[in-house]
Amino acid sequence: MTDTSAASPRPVFCTKALTKTYGEGPAAVHALRGVDLDIPEGEFVVLLGPSGSGKSTLLNILGGLDRPSAGTAHFKDVELTGMSDAELTKYRRDHVGFVFQFYNLMPSLNARENVELVTEIAKTPMDAKEALALVGLDKRAHHFPSELSGGEQQRVAIARAVAKRPTVLFCDEPTGALDSATGRAVLKVLTDVNQQLGTTVMIVTHAANTAMLADRVIHFADGGIREVIRNREKLTAEQIDW
Amino acid sequence: MLSPLDRKLLRDLARIKGQAAAIGLVIALGVLMMVMMTGLVNTLDQTRLAYYDRYRLAQVFAPVTRAPEPVLARLAAIPGVAAVEGRVSGWALIDIGAHELPVRAQALSLPDLGRPRLNDIYLVGGRLPELGRADEIVLLDGFAKARGLALNDRLIATMNGTRRAFRITGFAQSPEFLYSTAPGEMVPDDARFAVFWMRHSALAAAYDMKGAFNQALIALGRGASSEGVMLAADQMLAPYGSAGSYGLEDLISNRFIMEEIKGLRSTSGVVPPIFLGVAAFLLYIVINRMVQAEREQIGLLKAFGYSGLEVSLHYLKLVLVIAVLGAVLGSLGGMWSGHALARVYQIYYKFPFLVFSVDPRSFVTGFAVSILTASAGSLFVLRGVFRLTPAVAMRPPAPPDYSRSFDLAARLKRWLDQPSRMVVRRLTRYPGRMIGAVIGIATGLALSVASLTLMAGFDETLDLSFNVMSRGELSVSFTGKQTDKALLELARLPGVEHVEPSRAVSTVFRNGTYSYRGAIEGRPEFPVLNRVIDTDEAPISMRREGVILSKPLADLLHLQPGDTLIAEIKEGRRPVLHLPVIGVAETLMGAPAFMEIGALSRVLNEPGQVTGAALTIDEAQLDGLIARLKAMPQIAGVTLKSDMREALVRIMNEGPGAVRFVMLAVAAIITFGIVYNSARIAFAERERDLASLRVMGFSRGEAAFVLLGELAVVTLAALPLGVGLGYGLTYLTVKGFSTDIYQIPVTYSPESFGLAMVAVLVAAALSGWLVKRELDRVDLVAALKTRD
């Protein structure tokens, strides 16, 4: 496990010996085996690795959706691992945005209302229209999910995630269900968010080419970090091959 | 060898066993209710008939003053008569103890040798009296039990003015006395009326009936008309003081039990269909959901080359297996519980045996309804799935389309936040489902309202009967007719404050083809203790120029004020009177007609005669008064109002009256079942949405709002509808429960509505809490990553 990073801004996440085990005895699955990691604020981070290597588990713990079996995880100065359920909810509400492979939009709300769902409860949200403009969908604000393509739905999901101006944006396979052109458009939105808003973005993906966009690429294997690579020459979304 | 599809079917069944069991049970419950209720009613009716048949209950009863035994042979010769039995029947007063009111009793003769040809008795214990032992009696089992009497106990009775001591040699039940009611009283009470049987020669000696009889029992041949036989018998018996024969339908015990079975039948026509309807609704929703979940597999099967028909049949089979198993389970359970319930009723009605019989139609209906709803539900969904190409079917379904439904939420934009908007949109997107749930909950509410109102109605009956109408503490009946002198004697007794005379004349009422056997009751012009009231509960004064009918009698005879009633008096000179109807009164017990007592005496040409009196007394002197009343030979019976009230409460709470408790339980189950299932289904369908909300930072309560808000709207919408349905259902059930013995007023008690609504809200809150608990346990990550 090597951290080849040079002097970075202060970390937004810091984990120590983070371990996650599902089940007990011989049937136990070790999803994370003592991960030590710092994620600097404002970076675009890509987590790569085969299925079951632990990358999603890490994302879930950092996102406040799951708890580790052992070890600690800090968000800035706050220890996530000791938080109560209500505190985790508040943490997600105030600091975290999520984007999943299957969009998870509310079918009964149109694009704008889906975004407003978040802006209504966030502390310092951007305007819903502005968030949709950011993903290029301000013209389709009144369309329901059933009237939007997969890529458009995913962009609404991103708009919804960033509208609260989260500190971190977690994306689990955000392009997994999309074709290349649409996938590229979605990645473009994510890099824009990272650059324009300064949001830390962490993406879990199978698509190795996504790594070309990243400041930092973390390779996972068998529940641990195999290597962390700092990307000196980032490409833009338009430049990557699919 | 099973085909792969059938093997898949078995494995699928095993996989969804929890859900399948839930659906099967809902069906089973619906069928169970149906089979149980119809089975119970059938069994009671069949048992009644079999009991009558086995113990040879007569179809015609012909009372006379005294007729010589040879007349029986002439009666037997009347065309249509199959068998005749003459017996002696006499009134007696049983002395229970110094401080207790004497109990009225009917003494009946058994042939000196062997068993009676008609109206046989069922010996529960002991033996029949021996010939020549004039002090041996067989006592009605119900009375013995109510009074705690044992074999060989002594019983003191006054018969024909003479005090006698008897020894109890046996206990018997009789189809003639399933209900035992003292003459002139409406409410059956085991403890306050006795029947005992003696050998003919012994009883004849006591009542001066040697070689004679005073009651002829007649059994009819197959197809014979009872009207014709009664007419011929009355003519033949006229010289012997016939009081007019009457048929089995006018035998009080039979009338009561028929009325109760009728009430039960009407309940069984209302409750099980509601239950089955609710089961069908739940079934439809659950199966809908289940087939949706199979969408991917359906696509796969079609991709392999199975035809739409083959795949449809496969899923239809799956549903049918569940529906048929549920219906079979329900039928078996229904038979078992119907049988168990019938056993309870057997004790209540004092049947010596039970003829268990179920109505095959109830099975057919139960099966047909469950199978039809199950297959209709699945076919409806399958049709939608088959419109898709295999490729599309194998992909997760597109988000449900909310763009085309009527957008109420957009119109209410200013007032709604996004979660509320989600609630409103879902309700307007699936109006059918929402209406179904609303109707279901409303039905549950209506059932609760009806059963609660029924209970309030029972209380109202008691209150009106004993506080508004009958206000004396004691009622006295005389042996036969007495003159005004008897009233003066009563008034002179210490402790008696006020005496109000009454006169009852047994009468057959007629209007065209309608007829009813009852009594005209004579009352003073302004009754104080036995009041007659109108629909507003205001007392009605008697007027001399005509007769006032009770509401049930007016309905029965289709008469209204201004019409003429034909009254065939069945005693004395037996005149046939044409009386103008001058009013209709509300009554709660029986179906009497009222006349001013003086006017009644005049039309009968029997001035100054009374048959009973109502008394107000000084309760402190009750013991002394009882002793003095017992000593008066002209008094046939004395009834305390409090005893009668207790007896009425007992009848209302036991037996068929108890069905209203069952109804209340059913209402609660239905209400809870619908509310809970609606919540469960909404939860299953929105698990992912709710998980998304949680991930976005919505708290548990906020996420639950989206789910429970829908439940709340549905529940609240159901309340007014349920109240409306409740009014209708109350009317129906009250009519169904009202019998010849007592009528229940249709009172709309606000308390019943309030209580029923609270019950629905509690059911909703409990369901909400249960579902919220599940929501709290949802694995957020798993919910979001799985495809629907």
Side-chain angles (χ1 to χ4, degrees):
Chain A
M1 219 181 300
T2 46
D3 189 349
T4 53
S5 64
S8 306
R10 70 181 181 126
V12 63
F13 289 115
C14 171
T15 73
K16 292 268 181 298
L18 202 63
T19 305
K20 178 72 185 180
T21 313
Y22 295 103
E24 284 174 10
V29 175
H30 300 279
L32 286 180
R33 302 167 186 264
V35 171
D36 299 322
L37 181 69
D38 285 345
I39 304 285
E41 191 164 6
E43 284 202 352
F44 194 103
V45 181
V46 168
L47 287 76
L48 280 177
S51 293
S53 58
K55 51 193 192 308
S56 289
T57 307
L58 176 69
L59 204 69
N60 292 338
I61 292 174
L62 295 183
L65 294 178
D66 206 350
R67 292 170 201 275
S69 312
T72 58
H74 278 82
F75 167 75
K76 297 185 173 172
D77 300 327
V78 191
E79 189 181 341
L80 291 176
T81 30
M83 280 188 179
S84 71
D85 214 60
E87 286 167 334
L88 281 179
T89 301
K90 177 130 181 28
Y91 162 67
R92 291 199 301 268
R93 180 186 284 219
D94 295 343
H95 299 290
V96 182
F98 273 101
V99 176
F100 290 93
Q101 180 177 2
F102 298 114
Y103 333 133
N104 296 327
L105 296 181
M106 302 295 150
S108 56
L109 298 180
N110 64 30
R112 181 175 173 165
E113 290 164 348
N114 258 288
V115 178
E116 282 171 348
L117 196 56
V118 165
T119 58
E120 275 172 5
I121 62 165
K123 270 188 189 159
T124 52
M126 59 178 82
D127 185 63
K129 241 166 53 193
E130 191 187 328
L132 283 172
L134 198 65
V135 297
L137 281 178
D138 41 340
K139 297 272 185 309
R140 311 208 47 155
H142 294 289
H143 287 74
F144 282 90
S146 58
E147 300 169 298
L148 298 172
S149 72
E152 286 171 329
Q153 287 185 55
Q154 190 62 301
R155 276 148 66 196
V156 174
I158 295 170
R160 187 175 69 178
V162 300
K164 67 165 79 157
R165 302 184 199 277
T167 318
V168 204
L169 181 60
F170 292 105
C171 309
D172 198 344
E173 300 280 6
T175 55
L178 302 174
D179 62 69
S180 60
T182 325
R184 195 174 282 137
V186 164
L187 289 177
K188 165 91 171 58
V189 170
L190 291 174
T191 50
D192 288 352
V193 166
N194 173 245
Q195 279 155 21
Q196 291 168 20
L197 304 176
T199 309
T200 308
V201 175
M202 290 183 74
I203 299 181
V204 159
T205 182
H206 279 99
N209 51 7
T210 309
M212 318 284 254
L213 304 171
D215 294 308
R216 190 182 295 255
V217 182
I218 304 172
H219 288 269
F220 268 79
D222 299 327
I225 295 173
R226 204 181 63 208
E227 67 173 330
V228 178
I229 297 169
R230 282 217 41 141
N231 200 356
R232 305 272 171 209
E233 289 171 36
K234 285 204 301 186
L235 298 182
T236 62
E238 291 86 353
Q239 289 171 315
I240 58 169
D241 290 329
W242 198 274
Chain B
M1 188 59 192
L2 282 172
S3 74
L5 266 190
D6 285 340
R7 237 173 295 156
K8 171 180 178 308
L9 182 103
L10 290 180
R11 303 239 165 89
D12 283 347
L13 272 176
R15 179 171 53 84
I16 58 164
K17 55 183 177 292
Q19 199 172 18
I23 303 172
L25 277 179
V26 168
I27 297 179
L29 268 180
V31 176
L32 183 145
M33 282 294 291
M34 186 112 192
V35 171
M36 181 184 82
M37 289 298 277
T38 52
L40 176 65
V41 173
N42 255 21
T43 297
L44 291 179
D45 210 27
Q46 293 295 321
T47 304
R48 179 185 68 92
L49 289 175
Y51 191 19
Y52 288 0
D53 188 52
R54 252 185 245 183
Y55 289 86
R56 304 180 295 283
L57 187 65
Q59 278 116 341
V60 173
F61 297 75
V64 293
T65 313
R66 188 180 194 281
E69 273 170 354
V71 177
L72 291 172
R74 283 167 53 206
L75 282 175
I78 295 174
V81 171
V84 175
E85 172 93 342
R87 68 178 182 184
V88 177
S89 159
W91 296 111
L93 269 186
I94 294 178
D95 195 350
I96 295 294
H99 302 293
E100 294 224 42
L101 290 174
V103 172
R104 267 178 281 184
Q106 187 173 8
L108 290 171
S109 69
L110 295 169
D112 279 345
L113 290 172
R115 317 281 299 204
R117 245 169 307 179
L118 296 175
N119 291 24
D120 198 359
I121 55 174
Y122 164 67
L123 211 54
V124 180
R127 57 170 175 81
L128 292 180
E130 269 175 34
L131 185 58
R133 297 295 303 265
D135 66 335
E136 289 188 349
I137 57 166
V138 165
L139 187 62
L140 188 66
D141 192 50
F143 176 74
K145 285 210 172 89
R147 291 287 179 177
L149 294 167
L151 283 180
N152 293 321
D153 277 0
R154 258 163 51 96
L155 201 72
I156 307 291
T158 308
M159 297 167 79
N160 214 11
T162 313
R163 223 172 131 80
R164 292 162 187 265
F166 294 102
R167 207 165 58 82
I168 304 167
T169 64
F171 297 119
Q173 292 177 351
S174 156
E176 200 180 341
F177 299 102
L178 293 174
Y179 272 115
S180 43
T181 314
E185 277 191 27
M186 285 309 298
V187 187
D189 187 349
D190 276 350
R192 290 193 305 112
F193 181 65
V195 179
F196 60 86
W197 288 266
M198 296 167 65
R199 287 296 180 186
H200 186 273
S201 49
L203 194 60
Y207 286 96
D208 190 23
M209 288 278 167
K210 222 167 235 176
F213 65 93
N214 63 3
Q215 195 175 49
L217 306 172
I218 299 171
L220 301 176
R222 200 176 286 275
S225 124
S226 59
E227 291 284 322
V229 169
M230 275 155 60
L231 206 65
D234 283 353
Q235 275 172 1
M236 199 172 285
L237 294 172
Y240 309 104
S242 160
S245 54
Y246 55 92
L248 186 57
E249 64 280 2
D250 282 321
L251 181 72
I252 296 205
S253 161
N254 183 53
R255 201 149 88 190
F256 284 173
I257 190 168
M258 291 292 284
E259 283 289 331
E260 295 207 340
I261 290 177
K262 198 179 86 188
L264 213 51
R265 202 184 291 278
S266 76
T267 315
S268 77
V270 174
V271 176
I274 289 180
F275 217 107
L276 216 52
V278 168
F281 169 71
L282 291 179
L283 193 62
Y284 172 75
I285 290 184
V286 176
I287 283 177
N288 197 317
R289 169 94 195 138
M290 201 174 79
V291 174
Q292 281 293 359
E294 291 280 305
R295 175 190 154 104
E296 207 175 310
Q297 295 201 32
I298 292 171
L300 202 62
L301 287 171
K302 283 180 75 180
F304 289 161
Y306 280 100
S307 75
L309 186 68
E310 283 165 322
V311 183
S312 301
L313 281 179
H314 170 68
Y315 281 99
L316 204 56
K317 257 197 245 173
L318 180 78
V319 169
L320 285 185
V321 167
I322 299 173
V324 169
L325 284 180
V328 168
L329 190 69
S331 302
L332 293 177
M335 288 203 303
W336 181 84
S337 48
H339 199 263
L341 204 54
R343 290 251 168 246
V344 175
Y345 275 86
Q346 181 189 0
I347 296 166
Y348 176 70
Y349 287 125
K350 308 184 197 82
F351 288 134
F353 57 86
L354 209 55
V355 181
F356 190 67
S357 120
V358 282
D359 186 350
R361 278 175 306 179
S362 65
F363 293 111
V364 176
T365 315
F367 269 79
V369 170
S370 19
I371 288 172
L372 279 179
T373 46
S375 20
S378 48
L379 282 178
F380 203 67
V381 196
L382 282 170
R383 212 186 45 171
V385 175
F386 281 113
R387 265 198 244 114
L388 308 171
T389 61
V392 176
M394 279 188 289
R395 279 210 297 272
D401 186 358
Y402 280 85
S403 64
R404 266 172 304 193
S405 43
F406 167 69
D407 197 353
L408 178 68
R411 279 154 213 267
L412 299 174
K413 193 167 179 104
R414 264 193 298 157
W415 295 289
L416 297 179
D417 60 0
Q418 301 310 329
S420 319
R421 201 165 292 179
M422 288 171 71
V423 171
V424 174
R425 287 249 169 83
R426 221 181 101 93
L427 291 171
T428 47
R429 172 69 178 81
Y430 300 105
R433 195 178 290 181
M434 159 161 175
I435 290 167
V438 167
I439 290 177
I441 297 173
T443 309
L445 175 64
L447 265 180
S448 311
V449 164
S451 9
L452 286 169
T453 309
L454 200 56
M455 297 210 190
F458 275 72
D459 293 342
E460 172 89 4
T461 301
L462 287 177
D463 181 54
L464 275 182
S465 302
F466 294 105
N467 296 333
V468 178
M469 294 157 79
S470 146
R471 303 197 302 172
E473 283 103 22
L474 211 69
S475 68
V476 168
S477 60
F478 297 119
T479 52
K481 289 167 283 193
Q482 301 288 329
T483 59
D484 299 356
K485 226 181 83 199
L487 296 174
L488 291 174
E489 272 182 55
L490 280 179
R492 272 205 298 270
L493 293 176
V496 172
E497 289 168 352
H498 187 86
V499 178
E500 184 171 295
S502 63
R503 163 110 206 237
V505 184
S506 121
T507 308
V508 172
F509 302 104
R510 287 190 198 281
N511 174 38
T513 52
Y514 306 108
S515 74
Y516 182 79
R517 193 185 178 91
I520 299 181
E521 294 184 13
R523 300 277 167 89
E525 189 172 1
F526 301 103
V528 177
L529 300 187
N530 272 326
R531 297 202 296 187
V532 180
I533 57 167
D534 63 15
T535 40
D536 298 326
E537 299 182 15
I540 303 178
S541 60
M542 300 289 117
R543 302 205 313 268
R544 286 158 201 273
E545 61 269 26
V547 62
I548 294 172
L549 303 184
S550 61
K551 181 87 177 38
L553 185 61
D555 290 346
L556 228 87
L557 298 175
H558 296 82
L559 283 174
Q560 47 195 8
D563 295 343
T564 302
L565 166 77
I566 298 175
E568 294 174 6
I569 306 297
K570 288 296 171 188
E571 50 190 67
R573 297 178 304 110
R574 303 165 56 85
V576 176
L577 307 174
H578 292 252
L579 301 168
V581 176
I582 55 169
V584 173
E586 281 294 305
T587 53
L588 299 166
M589 286 193 272
F594 304 101
M595 275 184 87
E596 197 276 319
I597 193 164
L600 181 60
S601 296
R602 240 184 333 277
V603 294
L604 294 176
N605 212 359
E606 293 173 344
Q609 303 263 319
V610 294
T611 56
L615 274 56
T616 50
I617 55 165
D618 174 7
E619 305 246 3
Q621 303 188 51
L622 182 63
D623 279 358
L625 191 58
I626 286 174
R628 282 171 180 269
L629 287 172
K630 273 188 196 175
M632 293 174 70
Q634 68 270 43
I635 289 185
V638 183
T639 308
L640 264 176
K641 189 168 80 171
S642 55
D643 284 348
M644 199 147 121
R645 186 187 172 111
E646 270 172 38
L648 190 60
V649 169
R650 215 162 31 238
I651 308 207
M652 287 173 168
N653 284 335
E654 291 167 7
V659 169
R660 66 197 205 275
F661 296 112
V662 176
M663 255 178 73
L664 198 60
V666 168
I669 293 172
I670 287 185
T671 311
F672 182 75
I674 297 239
V675 176
Y676 179 66
N677 270 287
S678 307
R680 278 280 318 155
I681 287 162
F683 172 64
E685 286 177 354
R686 320 189 68 182
E687 195 173 339
R688 175 196 289 257
D689 289 357
L690 297 166
S692 289
L693 289 175
R694 294 276 290 125
V695 166
M696 275 181 246
F698 280 73
S699 69
R700 285 178 175 169
E702 287 163 335
F705 167 78
V706 174
L707 180 63
L708 301 182
E710 185 182 327
L711 183 65
V713 171
V714 167
T715 308
L716 291 179
L719 292 183
L721 182 65
V723 165
L725 285 179
Y727 270 93
L729 201 60
T730 300
Y731 186 80
L732 282 180
T733 32
V734 162
K735 287 285 158 227
F737 268 94
S738 293
T739 67
D740 235 15
I741 317 170
Y742 53 84
Q743 283 93 43
I744 301 163
V746 184
T747 46
Y748 291 112
S749 78
E751 294 87 358
S752 306
F753 284 86
L755 198 59
M757 284 197 260
V758 168
V760 167
L761 293 175
V762 167
L766 185 62
S767 311
W769 177 74
L770 285 172
V771 177
K772 173 159 187 314
R773 229 173 36 151
E774 271 184 76
L775 174 62
D776 291 346
R777 288 201 209 116
V778 166
D779 179 347
L780 298 182
V781 179
L784 289 177
K785 287 199 172 174
T786 42
R787 300 170 26 162
D788 240 343

